[in-house]
Amino acid sequence: MREAGVTVTVPPRPVAVVGVGAVSVHGFDWRSSGVSALDGAPRDPRPAAQLRASHPTLATFEVGPIPPGEDAGDARQRKLMTRAARLAAIATRKALDAARFHERRDEIGFYLGVGASGVAMDEIVPMLRASREGETFSLARFGREGLAACNPLFAFQTMNNFTLCHAAILTGVGGPNGALYSRGAATVQALEEALWAITEGACDRCLAGGADSALHPVTIDEFERDGLLSRALVPSEGAAVLALSAHSDTPVAHVTRAARVSYRHRPLGHALGALRGVCGEPPDLVLIAPWGEPPREALRAFARSLNPGARVLDLSAHWGESLAATPALAWTAAIDILATGRARRVLVLSAGIDREIAAVTFQ
C-alpha cells in the first residue's frame, strides 16, 4: 500500500528468517558482523586489487580473496560471472544451507536486488570501440560490428539479471523470482516481493537479498562525475541473502514491515517525515546505511526522533557503499545483533544514491 508517497509492506504475520548467507568485507560468515560493528571501531578503507589498473589509490572496502572451498561453481562457470554474480552465488548457497532448504528447491522463490552488469573491461572496450560512429556510440554499428568484437559468452556478463540467474542455476532454485535493478531501495522492494510471495501463497519458502560491486572502473567514474566521492562515499561490494519461510519453529529473526520513500522531487526532511508514521513500534536499535552526506546526519536525527533512547549505529563507516547489496548487508547485521540478544527490535534505515530511503524492521 501507499501512504503519503510511502510504499509500505506489512505482512499479516511476521515472516520468519530461517537462514542467512553473506559475503562482505567482514568475511564469508555473517555471524558477528553486526556485533563487531556495534562494539568495534570503523574499518580503514584501502585501495582495491580490482581497481589497480584504473584507480590505484582510491580508498575502498573490498572483499578479501575467496577461499577455494567458499567459491561458486567451477573455473569455467566463474568465467561467465561478473564479480557481483560470483558473490551472489556464494551468499545464496550459504543461505540455503543455513536454512536447510535441501529439498524441492525448484519451488523456492528468489528475489534479488542487482546492480549494473559490471562487465570485464578487456571485453567491453573492444566492443565499444567497434561500435563508434565518429565520436558517438552507434546502435547500428553495435549490432553489426560491436557484438562480433567480443566473445559470444560475454552475454552472460552483460545481462545484469544473471547476477540472480547464476546463483539460481548453481543451486537449483526455480520458484517465482525477479531480479530488480537497484541502487539501494529496489533491494528492499525485492524483500517486499518475497514477503508477498509467501503471504499470498505463491511459495512457502523464498530467498531475498542483494548483490553488487561498486569496485568497477565505470562505476567509480560515475561516482566521480556525480561528485559522490568528494561527499564521503566509500565504494564497496558484497552480497547478502535471507532465507524466508512461512512456517518455522526455530527462526533466526522475523521481518515485520518494510517501507520505501523517494526524495527525488521533495526535500529529504519531507520524505523522512512521511516515513515517520509507518516504522511501527519504536526500535531499541537503529542501523543506518547512508551513502554519505547529507543523508547520514538526516538519518541519525530521524532515528533519534523515533526513540531518543535507542542506539544508532552507522554501518557505512564499517562497510562502505555497495549499492544493491548495502541494504541486504545491513539486514544481516541486524539479525546477528538480534540473535545474540543485544536488541529486541531493530530498524534498518538505508539511503542509496537513488535518492530513496528505505526502512525494514526486524524482531
Side-chain angles (χ1 to χ4, degrees):
M1 63 180 176
R2 295 187 67 87
E3 296 183 8
V6 183
T7 301
V8 187
T9 296
V10 183
R13 299 183 306 277
V15 174
V17 180
V18 295
V20 179
V23 182
S24 71
V25 66
H26 176 79
F28 295 83
D29 190 343
W30 65 277
R31 297 173 184 84
S32 82
S33 61
V35 171
S36 64
L38 198 62
D39 295 338
R43 298 171 180 269
D44 292 326
R46 299 178 179 180
Q50 297 170 72
L51 297 171
R52 191 172 292 127
S54 60
H55 303 83
T57 62
L58 182 66
T60 70
F61 289 111
E62 182 178 33
V63 171
I66 301 174
E70 297 280 9
D71 219 337
D74 56 32
R76 180 179 176 277
Q77 291 167 324
R78 288 193 291 273
K79 286 182 179 179
L80 307 180
M81 300 182 195
T82 61
R83 177 73 168 182
R86 189 174 176 184
L87 299 180
I90 296 171
T92 301
R93 184 191 69 238
K94 286 178 170 292
L96 289 166
D97 290 345
R100 298 182 180 179
F101 285 175
H102 301 306
E103 300 177 352
R104 299 183 293 113
R105 286 191 172 181
D106 60 323
E107 300 175 7
I108 297 173
F110 195 1
Y111 295 90
L112 192 70
V114 303
S117 53
V119 294
M121 294 301 290
D122 57 355
E123 290 280 5
I124 196 171
V125 169
M127 180 178 68
L128 293 177
R129 185 177 293 123
S131 303
R132 287 191 305 180
E133 190 77 59
E135 294 301 316
T136 62
F137 177 82
S138 167
L139 192 60
R141 286 185 63 88
F142 170 72
R144 292 195 308 268
E145 289 92 1
L147 291 176
C150 67
N151 188 322
L153 295 178
F154 183 55
F156 293 103
Q157 286 188 0
T158 57
M159 293 184 286
N160 61 347
N161 62 309
F162 267 81
T163 302
L164 179 149
C165 292
H166 284 295
I169 291 168
L170 289 173
T171 59
V173 172
N177 61 82
L180 288 75
Y181 178 72
S182 174
R183 281 297 187 255
T187 301
V188 178
Q189 185 181 354
L191 174 63
E192 293 176 279
E193 293 286 351
L195 296 176
W196 281 115
I198 288 177
T199 298
E200 295 180 342
C203 56
D204 60 3
R205 297 170 298 161
C206 200
L207 304 176
D212 207 349
S213 177
L215 307 184
H216 188 279
V218 175
T219 302
I220 300 300
D221 286 345
E222 290 176 355
F223 288 161
E224 195 164 26
R225 178 198 65 198
D226 295 338
L228 300 179
L229 295 180
S230 63
R231 296 164 65 189
L233 184 148
V234 180
S236 185
E237 62 179 351
V241 176
L242 307 185
L244 308 172
S245 176
H247 311 287
S248 175
D249 296 328
T250 57
V252 183
H254 287 93
V255 188
T256 60
R257 62 180 57 217
R260 293 172 284 121
V261 61
S262 170
Y263 64 99
R264 294 191 191 97
H265 306 297
R266 57 176 155 178
L268 176 57
H270 290 181
L272 284 167
L275 194 64
R276 183 179 306 281
V278 299
C279 288
E281 297 180 50
D284 48 2
L285 173 67
V286 182
L287 303 183
I288 63 172
W291 62 260
E293 300 295 351
R296 177 175 290 110
E297 189 50 45
L299 290 189
R300 280 188 182 278
F302 178 70
R304 293 191 188 101
S305 73
L306 295 176
N307 181 3
R311 183 170 179 180
V312 181
L313 175 64
D314 179 5
L315 291 176
S316 65
H318 297 263
W319 290 349
E321 175 57 47
S322 51
L323 303 172
T326 293
L329 289 171
W331 304 338
T332 68
I335 294 168
D336 175 53
I337 293 168
L338 287 168
T340 54
R342 298 286 294 274
R344 296 185 61 203
R345 182 176 293 105
V346 181
L347 173 65
V348 177
L349 295 172
S350 53
I353 66 171
D354 53 3
R355 298 180 67 82
E356 287 198 44
I357 303 164
V360 180
T361 303
F362 296 88
Q363 67 182 28

